[in-house]
Structures are given as C-alpha cells and as structure tokens.
Amino acid sequence: MDSFVIEGGTVLRGEVEVSGSKNAVLPIMAATLLTRETCVIHHVPDLSDVRFMCRILQSLGAVVTMEGGTLTVRAENITGTGDYDLIRKMRGSICILGPLVGRLRKASVSLPGGCVIGTRPIDLHLKGLSALGTAMRIEGGYVHAEAPGLRGTTVFMGGRSGPTVLGTANVVMASVLAEGVTVIESAACEPEVVDLCDFLNAMGARIHGAGSPTITVTGVPALAGVEHRVIPDRIEAGTFAVAAVASGGEVTLRGARPDHLGAVLEKLREAGARVERRNGALTVGAGSTLRPLELTTMPYSGFPTDMQAQFMALLCLANGTSIVTERIFESRFMHAAELLRLGADIGIEGPSAIIKGGRPLSGAEVMASDLRASAALVIAGMAAQGRTQVHRVYHLDRGYERMELKLSRLGARIERTQGE
Ligand code: EPZ
C-alpha cells in the first residue's frame, strides 16, 4: 500500500487545474445504462472509484472505453445483475439500481458496505423505488428489485439527516422511463444532482426543478445517447483552497465553479483568508491571520460534510478555539485521532469537535482512514514542521487525481512511496 512522505513548512503558490467531479461522474456513468445508444463523457477524472465503476458497467454487459479523460459507454445489451464483489466494495455503486430498474424493470444489486464514516443505510433509496411500484427483496446480501409496472408518483425522500444525494439520483433515474409524472419532495440539491439531471435531459428526459428540493420528472418512452462534460469537482477545489491557506500561500483554482463553493468560500473568508475571482479564475490565499470559527455541516447549499475534515486540519493552525459539528454522518471524526499525533489539541463531544488551535504541528507517521480524512492529514502534514508519512493513501486515490503531482507543482515537498 502506498504512502505519502511530506516535508512540511512549504508555502503553496501557483495554479492548479480542477478535475472533473467524482460525485457527479459516478451517477452519470450509471445513467448511461438507461439507453442502448453510445454516451460520450468528457472531463472524467482518473480515479480508482471511476475505474471501479467502469468495471461494474462492464460486468453488466456494457462496452466501456476510457481515453485521456473521455469515457465512452454503450450499454446495448445488459443484464440486471452486477458482480457482487465489485459492487459491494464501492458504496457509490448503489446508484446503478435506479437505472437498471428504469431500463430493465428488474435488477439484483449487492447491498453496499458501510464505511468508516457511517452505516450508510439505503432505506430511502428503497422507499423511493418501491413508491414507483418496485417490489424489493433483500436476500443473501443483494437487493432484488422487480418493477413490472413502473408508475410515477409523489414521494418524500427526506431522512433523519436531511435529503439523500444518491437516493435522489436513484429515484430520478428510475422515474425517467416510468409511466406518468414523479414528484420527488425533499430532493437533494447538490450540484452533482443538477449535473446528472442535465445529462438525463440531454438524453431526452423531462426533468424540472433539479437543484431545488422538489424535482418533477415526466416519464418518456426512451432515451438517446449523448455527449456531456462533467462539472468540476467542488470538493477537490475546496481541498486545494484550504491547503493553500494552511500553508500561508496563494493558489489559483483553474476551472473551479465559485457558485458551487459558496459556503466553503464564506467560511474561508471568516477564517481570515483572501478569496478573489479574477478573469474567470478563483484565487484563494492566506490572510494576515488565521481566525478560529464555528462550523456545522449541512445539506447543500450549507457547509459540505466532505469539507469538514480539511477544515479541521486548518483550524488546528488558527489562534483560538473552534467548534466543528458534523450533522450528516454519525462518525466522521476519524481524522481527529491522527491529527492529535501531529500535535493538535482536539476533543470530541458528541457530534462536535472542539479544536484548540495555535500550537505548531510537528510531523509524525499517520494513517489515512477515509477519502477526506486522508486529505486532512496531507494538509496538516504540509503545515507541520518536519516529516510526515501518510500511510494507506489508496483512500486518497479514490477521489483525488494525482494529488501529490498537483501539490508538488504548487511547491509542496511530497512524494509517493510504493508500500509493501
Ligand atoms: C454522497 O453520498 C456522496 N458520495 C458523499 O461523498 C457525500 O458525503 C454525501 O453524498 C453527502 O453529501 C457520492 O456522491 C458518491 P447521502 P450518499 O445519501 O448519497 C443518510 C465523498 O467523500 N441516509 O446523501 O451516499 C446517510 O446515512 C463521499 O466524496 C439514510 O439515512 O450520501 C447520511 O447520514 C463521502 N438513508 C445522510 O443520509 C438512506 O437511504 C446523507 O447521505 C440514504 C442516506
């Protein structure tokens, strides 16, 4: 397993190209199952999760090729049963359930595993699909779904932590070929859901209200192949912005969508960072001081849970006490224990982390536990004095395209070592 070796204390300066969005491209790849025709998707990030989803589509019978950031998928003859092991290993693969039900009216998909950040239930996915007339049976670790008559309906998709992103995606993708009109109430409003709906509408679907809590889908008989460019990854952009501020430097995020980063940029300003939008690019840099703050993760357009760990690393450097409250996932503070090994002072009290910042961090060996926690450890390691080794960076490779190369080009002293 690979590790990163980081020599801390470098200031990040320069420009970085923001890659395509992982959380947009995964459901869009699933949506290609809804047509027999060829789909061409541009600006696809080279991530292990994307390569995994390619294998899942191939296991269903689709022909998939990836050439330099452009993905071509033709799902002409597909089956409704995916490879158990493949699907079980990547939570995001649950989003093939909706399109398989929509296209074939029949699917067997392995239940996604939980992960370190929470149990990751799919009760809302099942609620939405059964409201459309899908009979669901859970047996042997699979969800077996049959929907002889898929009919539009109104369904409330809000859960105890608010809307569900992939649950909304699944219900939208099952309803685009259903009879009649489907109204999804308490739908997720994330930009990745909007990008999926843009993709589906380009295929000939009739979806209104994407980006709002109420999405209306009018079923159509069939969908066509389409060409599409994936939106930039707002979490990658936010991660590099936080890294720039933590290092005391300044980075221009080429291709970022500031309109997708409202809450993140607002919190960076509140912490004392400089945020400028210059000729179409977004530049974020350290200010004269780094201030502590309070933040709570919320559904979009609130502060994103996927930026919580990165901000915790930043707040370890602020002079004073900060409070970070995680309201989306039940255990998303795994990075706190590892940050303590770098000299941070963090106490967990229920859903909140109390960060007493201001003490300099010093390098240590740390262990990555999940995708965004790993990013937090890299940010902290670059700001720490001395050497930090981040082990198990395969977590990072799931969601960040060649992170160490992008950071090196900004001046970081970071290299990947091949593990045992
Ligand atoms: C998506 O996961 C993202 N993943 C996550 O990003 C992101 O953190 C999450 O949305 C929230 O924004 C992808 O898009 C591939 P949810 P998703 O359903 O859709 C509960 C990353 O780091 N819930 O919106 O699986 C759930 O337990 C990843 O890139 C139910 O209770 O998340 C959680 O508490 C991590 N029942 C909350 O809702 C359900 O049926 C939000 O989960 C479904 C979810």
Side-chain angles (χ1 to χ4, degrees):
M1 286 185 265
D2 293 1
S3 302
F4 281 169
V5 179
I6 301 166
E7 296 299 337
T10 51
V11 176
L12 300 185
R13 290 196 188 291
E15 283 203 357
V16 66
E17 183 73 33
V18 179
S19 300
S21 164
K22 165 179 89 79
N23 290 350
V25 76
L26 292 176
I28 285 173
M29 289 171 74
T32 63
L33 295 168
L34 285 161
T35 178
R36 308 169 57 82
E37 297 180 10
T38 300
C39 292
V40 179
I41 306 164
H42 300 290
H43 201 211
V44 175
D46 180 16
L47 304 170
S48 54
D49 271 11
V50 168
R51 291 193 290 274
F52 225 84
M53 184 60 101
C54 288
R55 288 173 54 196
I56 288 169
L57 296 180
Q58 286 163 336
S59 77
L60 293 166
V63 177
V64 184
T65 55
M66 175 85 156
E67 187 69 40
T70 293
L71 188 65
T72 304
V73 184
R74 185 179 180 99
E76 187 169 7
N77 305 302
I78 56 169
T79 70
T81 302
D83 178 308
Y84 181 92
D85 265 348
L86 274 179
I87 294 172
R88 188 174 50 80
K89 287 195 186 108
M90 186 179 77
R91 152 121 199 121
S93 58
I94 188 64
C95 64
I96 65 170
L97 183 58
L100 287 175
V101 166
R103 167 89 181 271
L104 303 177
R105 301 302 200 262
K106 188 177 166 58
S108 288
V109 174
S110 75
L111 282 166
C115 59
V116 286
I117 64 176
T119 52
R120 313 299 292 275
I122 59 165
D123 57 304
L124 296 170
H125 297 242
L126 304 181
K127 173 187 176 185
L129 293 176
S130 56
L132 290 171
T134 312
M136 234 90 61
R137 179 170 46 85
I138 292 185
E139 197 177 278
Y142 273 88
V143 180
H144 299 286
E146 293 214 35
L150 212 56
R151 287 204 60 75
T153 184
T154 294
V155 58
F156 182 81
M157 286 289 289
R160 68 186 185 295
S161 313
T164 162
V165 172
L166 290 183
T168 300
N170 258 334
V171 174
V172 166
M173 289 192 280
S175 62
V176 288
L177 294 175
E179 294 287 321
V181 178
T182 298
V183 178
I184 302 169
E185 295 176 337
S186 192
C189 303
E190 272 69 3
E192 294 76 28
V193 173
V194 176
D195 204 28
L196 170 67
C197 292
D198 288 347
F199 180 79
L200 290 165
N201 280 340
M203 293 171 81
R206 292 175 56 195
I207 304 168
H208 296 90
S212 84
T214 305
I215 296 179
T216 303
V217 183
T218 304
V220 295
L223 295 179
V226 72
E227 199 152 355
H228 181 80
R229 179 180 168 80
V230 176
I231 56 171
D233 193 312
R234 61 191 168 101
I235 304 302
E236 185 200 29
T239 302
F240 276 91
V242 169
V245 178
S247 77
E250 177 181 277
V251 168
T252 295
L253 304 157
R254 252 203 331 267
R257 287 274 303 263
D259 57 321
H260 291 167
L261 283 159
V264 173
L265 298 178
E266 182 55 25
K267 280 298 172 185
L268 281 170
R269 287 189 196 94
E270 190 182 328
R274 285 176 295 103
V275 176
E276 287 156 48
R277 296 168 65 165
R278 274 198 303 250
N279 45 48
L282 178 63
T283 300
V284 180
S288 53
T289 179
L290 194 53
R291 293 190 287 266
L293 51 76
E294 294 193 20
L295 73 81
T296 300
T297 64
M298 283 178 259
Y300 193 87
S301 58
F303 188 89
T305 175
D306 293 349
M307 283 299 304
Q308 180 258 106
Q310 300 91 315
F311 256 78
M312 189 182 288
L314 178 66
L315 294 171
C316 293
L317 307 169
N319 300 309
T321 300
S322 298
I323 300 175
V324 170
T325 302
E326 173 57 56
R327 290 282 182 217
I328 304 296
F329 288 106
E330 62 261 39
S331 59
R332 200 168 194 177
F333 286 144
M334 298 288 286
H335 41 286
E338 295 305 302
L339 289 169
L340 292 181
R341 295 171 56 78
L342 296 170
D345 180 348
I346 304 170
I348 306 295
E349 289 178 25
S352 296
I354 317 299
I355 301 117
K356 293 195 177 79
R359 258 193 345 215
L361 299 180
S362 53
E365 290 209 38
V366 290
M367 192 74 75
S369 57
D370 68 273
L371 170 53
R372 308 306 175 181
S374 324
L377 297 177
V378 172
I379 290 169
M382 289 190 298
Q385 290 153 5
R387 170 172 294 194
T388 294
Q389 269 195 293
V390 182
H391 296 297
R392 298 187 182 167
V393 291
Y394 64 85
H395 289 293
L396 270 174
D397 294 335
R398 289 189 44 222
Y400 292 95
E401 193 175 32
R402 293 186 286 279
M403 185 185 226
E404 76 275 18
L405 297 183
K406 290 189 174 186
L407 288 171
S408 302
R409 287 194 198 123
L410 293 170
R413 282 179 296 167
I414 178 171
E415 60 177 29
R416 180 187 291 260
T417 57
Q418 311 294 335
E420 58 283 346

